Amino acid sequence: MNIFKRFYTCVILSCVLLPSYAFAEPILDKVEVIQTATEADIHIDFQTQIRYIRHSPTKATSRIQIFLEFPEYQSLGLALPIGREFLNSPPTNLVPAFTVNFPDQKINSISIKFKKPVKFRITPDSSGRGIILHLPLPKGVEPLPSETNASPPPPVVNSMPVEVPGIPAGMPMNDYASKLVAESRVAIGLAEYPKAIELLNTVLNLPLTTSSQMAQELIGVAREKNGEFAKAKAEDELYLKLYPDGEGVKRVSQHLATVESSIKTSGTGDKKDKKREIREIHETTVYGSWDQYYYDAHSHTYNPAPTKNSSRHDQTALVSSINLTARSRQNQYDSKIVFRNRQTMDFLPGKNHSNRDRTDAAYLEVENKDVDYLVRLGRQNGNTGGILGRFDGALLRYGFTPKYRVNFVTGTLNEYRVDYRRHFYGVNLDIGPIAEKWSGNVFFVNQEVNDITDRRAAGGELRYFDNGRSVYSLFDYDTLYNRTNIAMVQGNLQTEGGTNYNMLIDHRNSPILTTINSLTGNTLNGQYGTLNEAIRAGITESELRTFAIENTLKTDTALFGATRQVTPRWQLGGDVQVNRTTGTPGRSQASIDFFKKQFFNNNGIDPTALEIENFRRSAGGTGNIWTYHVQAVGTDTLFKDDTSVISFSYSTSDVSRSQSILLSNGFVPAEKWRIDSSLQLLRQDADPNTMTYLISPTFRASYRMREKVTLEAEVRFDVDNTFNDDGHTRTFRDAAFIGYRIDI
């Protein structure tokens, strides 16, 4: 009965407290903790595509900062939402309790705060919409059998998290690596295989040393003795690839043959006819969070004479959010009830400032891990299988083999401020993993507004995921318009020397080509709220599709970047990016109107004149925009256990140039406090004779009042000086929020 009492209380709170408008579509989606053979994996999923850039620190810590990029937002020229978002960890004994929050330190990053320090490593997941934190299993938790091993692995004597000693001051890197390899040999001799694996992984993550080759040989042995035959095979193959003339080639080749023989004789190479082992589980939990934040902003503009000065109240709103998950696990059944709602009371007058209530998720999910099916009913997020965002409907998944699962989906897109409803149905086939590294899906989706086809598309996703290497690609082709909607590939590569490379090539329509796009253009001038109204006025479906094509921009992005740990405290990263936006004449104003709407939905305020002008220039078909970005991230720089970020970017195009510097620091002055501060300096030259200088300091403080109650406040100032032929215009803007969060 306690679970129902807690759930009922939370529902009452969500109904009583301040119904209102919510900011943009959320960035964070959900978090799950999954036990693997030797680790606990934390999966953090997003509601949009993400690209992992780097993280800090690389040592054991209680707070991790992960830097990301968001291709879908970049393609629209949109800033990320500024509303605070949180996800709490589900109840588990696999990892310490933690909280995920976004945004962090005024940059494209999330932070994960654990209850106590943890050792970890981070990889992108195979979907292109998530990241995975890998943590060692805690003491007392039995490792699961390896996925590629039919029988249980050899007994593990020591499954405790391994504290790898840091490099002593003044010790050369080669000596430090040699010391860890020697300790790993001792651990193997004592049958402490997880400890040996952790020590050897540390060596392999260092820049290349004289011990790297031996570490690569030994880790294959350690994994084989730990029962991880597939991983041992991969490590041996990597050794032979990296060191074809190495002195251990003969030993590694013999060991690889032994591992392959073990896999073959035990029948672990292909388990398509084997059912998963179902552990006896009886568990019911409720978890989530409740938060409220009050946002306020003003701007004061001082124009040259004879133009009058002006003051404006930009924002005053109270945003309330609730995030609840009730989960019941009964042997092979895993059931969830998920409810996420954001409400805002907007106190400003005007039609754009009416109160709103947005339910981001409200669904029931039932999964059977034995038969391998999943049913999800209600409001949910659909970023795969060609579905364009949140919808109300049903998803049915059935796995007829462990490597092939078919998904059927149908519903109505959940959209706001529209006079129409878009209904769709689709089918997609999930494939993989193939050869343990490849996976993907193929899909078909048909979308209609009443009896008019809005979108009919086919495509697929292809993913490659290996230790240190990942590639995600997406192709979406509209068979109704015979045009490519999205063609995208992004990848990450972690080298043996510790350098991380990332790349992105992206071509897409912005927004995605649909018949609805015809209503926003200059031709129809927004005079019709629905497609049927336009048809009743004498416009044919063929003409509507022509208008839709004319009103849809195309964006192209290419990016290449790299990150490397240059000292024990500092890592250095950078990237080069080129963007290009093209469209038909007359589309500019329609795209600007769309940009204004999306910007307001994302941030709760209207864009400034500078932000509108920047988008106008980027969407005007003015050629390539090149951006060069360098970022240094340090720990223990100004204060103990702090994080400092120094970012510099330079952007140039045919019509404008900009330079930006961002300085940011976050530290913990006392046990329950955290202080974040940042300073951004921006200079922009826009032809013909316009120059803008922006200074923007920010200060944020948070205080953990109790174990599950946190108070937080932020103040930001923007000073904008613009010089042009009309003289000097100065704008002061202040923005602040204050609020609290209660973990449930």
Side-chain angles (χ1 to χ4, degrees):
M1 292 298 294
N2 289 336
I3 177 176
F4 295 106
K5 288 180 180 179
R6 294 177 65 186
F7 188 82
Y8 179 76
T9 302
C10 295
V11 171
I12 292 297
L13 282 173
S14 68
C15 295
V16 170
L17 291 175
L18 299 170
S20 56
Y21 151 75
F23 290 154
E25 304 296 328
I27 293 293
L28 298 174
D29 185 16
K30 63 179 184 294
V31 60
E32 294 181 314
V33 179
I34 300 173
Q35 183 180 356
T36 63
T38 59
E39 295 177 318
D41 288 352
I42 300 173
H43 292 251
I44 302 174
D45 295 336
F46 298 80
Q47 299 209 44
T48 181
Q49 292 172 4
I50 62 104
R51 186 166 59 87
Y52 165 79
I53 303 297
R54 60 187 66 92
H55 70 270
S56 180
T58 56
K59 61 182 181 180
T61 182
S62 60
R63 184 181 184 275
I64 305 167
Q65 188 172 17
I66 304 177
F67 300 88
L68 307 165
E69 287 200 352
F70 301 84
E72 291 176 331
Y73 279 83
Q74 291 175 328
S75 69
L76 291 173
L78 292 173
L80 289 170
I82 61 174
R84 304 292 286 152
E85 295 184 38
F86 301 93
L87 289 177
N88 284 345
S89 58
T92 178
N93 63 342
L94 298 176
V95 299
F98 63 89
T99 299
V100 182
N101 78 76
F102 170 89
D104 188 54
Q105 287 191 247
K106 203 178 179 180
I107 45 183
N108 292 1
S109 69
I110 65 171
S111 68
I112 300 102
K113 179 68 172 64
F114 288 89
K115 191 174 181 179
K116 61 182 181 180
V118 297
K119 287 186 60 64
F120 68 96
R121 59 188 179 91
I122 294 178
T123 62
D125 76 357
S126 61
S127 72
R129 299 176 185 85
I131 52 177
I132 304 174
L133 279 72
H134 308 268
L135 278 64
L137 290 175
K139 180 181 179 181
V141 176
E142 291 294 330
L144 294 178
S146 172
E147 293 183 357
T148 56
N149 187 6
S151 58
V156 178
V157 175
N158 180 14
S159 62
M160 295 177 59
V162 180
E163 292 296 332
V164 178
I167 182 170
M171 175 179 282
M173 191 67 71
N174 281 331
D175 293 347
Y176 175 59
S178 177
K179 176 177 179 292
L180 295 183
V181 169
E183 291 181 9
S184 73
R185 290 181 183 274
V186 174
I188 292 175
L190 296 174
E192 297 177 348
Y193 307 125
K195 178 179 179 180
I197 292 170
E198 190 69 28
L199 292 167
L200 293 168
N201 268 328
T202 301
V203 176
L204 295 173
N205 286 328
L206 295 173
L208 193 65
T209 67
T210 55
S211 300
S212 298
Q213 182 175 334
M214 179 55 67
Q216 187 63 50
E217 177 180 350
L218 288 176
I219 197 169
V221 175
R223 290 198 179 278
E224 181 263 335
K225 290 183 177 295
N226 199 49
E228 303 174 80
F229 296 144
K231 291 183 178 181
K233 179 175 179 290
E235 300 287 8
D236 287 346
E237 290 174 341
L238 181 59
Y239 178 97
L240 297 176
K241 179 180 178 181
L242 295 175
Y243 310 105
D245 300 320
E247 56 91 17
V249 166
K250 184 177 180 180
R251 294 191 301 271
V252 173
S253 298
Q254 292 174 345
H255 185 258
L256 176 59
T258 301
V259 171
E260 289 177 334
S261 177
S262 298
I263 293 175
K264 183 177 179 180
T265 56
S266 62
T268 59
D270 185 3
K271 302 197 305 176
K272 64 181 181 180
D273 296 325
K274 301 178 187 289
K275 290 186 176 181
R276 303 181 187 181
E277 180 183 351
I278 304 299
R279 294 184 298 167
E280 185 169 338
I281 302 174
H282 302 281
E283 179 181 271
T284 301
T285 56
V286 175
Y287 59 94
S289 64
W290 162 262
D291 60 76
Q292 286 188 308
Y293 284 84
Y294 174 73
Y295 295 84
D296 190 74
H298 306 80
S299 60
H300 311 276
T301 302
Y302 303 90
N303 294 297
T307 306
K308 293 183 178 180
N309 300 330
S310 63
S311 296
R312 187 177 67 175
H313 201 167
D314 297 317
Q315 183 183 28
T316 172
L318 181 65
V319 182
S320 308
S321 302
I322 189 167
N323 185 339
L324 282 177
T325 299
R327 183 180 186 184
S328 175
R329 302 171 66 196
Q330 303 295 329
N331 298 335
Q332 71 267 34
Y333 290 99
D334 189 348
S335 304
K336 297 178 185 176
I337 299 177
V338 176
F339 179 74
R340 292 196 297 269
N341 180 269
R342 291 181 302 154
Q343 307 168 320
T344 303
M345 181 170 284
D346 196 322
F347 302 110
L348 289 178
K351 64 178 183 180
N352 286 338
H353 296 280
S354 58
N355 297 337
R356 300 183 194 174
D357 180 289
R358 293 191 178 180
T359 298
D360 297 319
Y363 63 83
L364 168 67
E365 177 182 295
V366 178
E367 181 180 10
N368 186 311
K369 299 181 181 297
D370 185 18
V371 181
D372 195 8
Y373 70 76
L374 179 144
V375 178
R376 185 185 298 149
L377 304 173
R379 180 165 296 178
Q380 54 195 285
N381 192 47
N383 272 327
T384 60
I387 308 304
L388 302 180
R390 188 174 55 238
F391 69 94
D392 299 324
L395 168 69
L396 171 63
R397 186 191 74 203
Y398 177 71
F400 46 92
T401 78
K403 294 184 179 180
Y404 297 94
R405 297 176 176 177
V406 63
N407 301 270
F408 300 96
V409 60
T410 183
T412 302
L413 290 184
N414 179 243
E415 301 176 274
Y416 298 95
R417 289 186 173 183
V418 296
D419 299 324
Y420 52 83
R421 287 290 179 263
R422 295 198 262 191
H423 310 279
F424 69 89
Y425 63 86
V427 59
N428 64 85
L429 177 67
D430 289 327
I431 305 170
I434 304 296
E436 300 178 1
K437 301 175 182 178
W438 293 91
S439 64
N441 68 47
V442 291
F443 64 81
F444 171 81
V445 61
N446 186 78
Q447 186 169 291
E448 295 184 350
V449 181
N450 293 332
D451 56 346
I452 301 173
T453 302
D454 184 50
R455 161 177 160 81
R456 182 179 296 147
E461 302 174 32
L462 181 63
R463 314 172 192 121
Y464 174 84
F465 185 71
D466 193 14
N467 189 23
R469 298 181 294 273
S470 66
V471 177
Y472 168 74
S473 62
L474 169 64
F475 182 72
D476 184 305
Y477 185 82
D478 196 300
T479 60
L480 179 67
Y481 287 90
N482 293 322
R483 280 172 165 78
T484 298
N485 257 323
I486 303 174
M488 184 269 288
V489 59
Q490 64 181 28
N492 285 84
L493 171 64
Q494 177 75 44
T495 68
E496 292 297 316
T499 302
N500 183 71
Y501 296 98
N502 54 82
M503 57 81 66
L504 170 70
I505 299 174
D506 189 298
H507 167 83
R508 69 179 61 215
N509 288 320
S510 298
I512 295 298
L513 181 57
T514 62
T515 308
I516 284 292
N517 293 4
S518 63
L519 301 178
T520 62
N522 288 348
T523 304
L524 299 184
N525 200 27
Q527 56 186 311
Y528 305 113
T530 67
L531 297 176
N532 290 93
E533 286 182 19
I535 288 179
R536 286 195 296 268
I539 301 172
T540 66
E541 286 192 41
S542 177
E543 289 174 325
L544 288 173
R545 293 189 184 115
T546 300
F547 297 154
I549 293 172
E550 293 174 351
N551 295 338
T552 302
L553 296 173
K554 294 180 176 61
T555 63
D556 295 279
T557 300
L559 180 146
F560 178 80
T563 303
R564 183 178 180 85
Q565 192 79 28
V566 293
T567 73
R569 291 186 178 182
W570 287 94
Q571 64 174 219
L572 183 65
D575 55 68
V576 179
Q577 183 173 169
V578 59
N579 298 275
R580 184 182 183 91
T581 303
T582 57
T584 57
R587 168 59 184 158
S588 179
Q589 186 55 49
S591 65
I592 290 172
D593 292 341
F594 178 77
F595 168 77
K596 290 180 179 178
K597 177 181 176 182
Q598 293 296 100
F599 189 98
F600 181 83
N601 286 342
N602 281 351
N603 302 289
I605 58 175
D606 296 317
T608 64
L610 175 62
E611 289 164 333
I612 295 174
E613 181 61 24
N614 287 341
F615 179 78
R616 186 194 306 274
R617 294 178 183 278
S618 68
T622 54
N624 295 334
I625 302 174
W626 289 86
T627 301
Y628 308 89
H629 179 222
V630 177
Q631 183 181 68
V633 183
T635 56
D636 296 323
T637 55
L638 302 177
F639 309 97
K640 179 176 173 28
D641 294 329
D642 74 343
T643 301
S644 295
V645 179
I646 304 173
S647 293
F648 172 78
S649 65
Y650 174 74
S651 180
T652 180
S653 69
D654 294 341
V655 296
S656 67
R657 291 159 300 281
S658 67
Q659 304 92 40
S660 174
I661 297 177
L662 175 66
L663 309 174
S664 175
N665 178 267
F667 73 104
V668 180
E671 180 181 355
K672 297 182 178 182
W673 285 90
R674 178 172 175 83
I675 305 297
D676 292 282
S677 58
S678 66
L679 175 64
Q680 183 178 19
L681 307 175
L682 171 70
R683 168 179 168 170
Q684 179 167 297
D685 303 303
D687 293 334
N689 296 306
T690 301
M691 182 177 294
T692 299
Y693 295 93
L694 176 68
I695 302 175
S696 180
T698 303
F699 178 84
R700 180 191 300 168
S702 62
Y703 174 70
R704 183 170 288 276
M705 186 174 178
R706 293 185 178 182
E707 177 68 20
K708 295 187 176 183
V709 180
T710 301
L711 307 179
E712 187 175 35
E714 179 182 285
V715 178
R716 186 182 82 248
F717 299 96
D718 297 329
V719 182
D720 182 325
N721 289 278
T722 300
F723 301 86
N724 52 33
D725 293 337
D726 296 328
H728 174 204
T729 299
R730 176 175 297 163
T731 300
F732 293 94
R733 185 169 185 271
D734 61 85
F737 69 71
I738 185 170
Y740 67 92
R741 184 181 81 255
I742 301 175
D743 298 331
I744 300 171

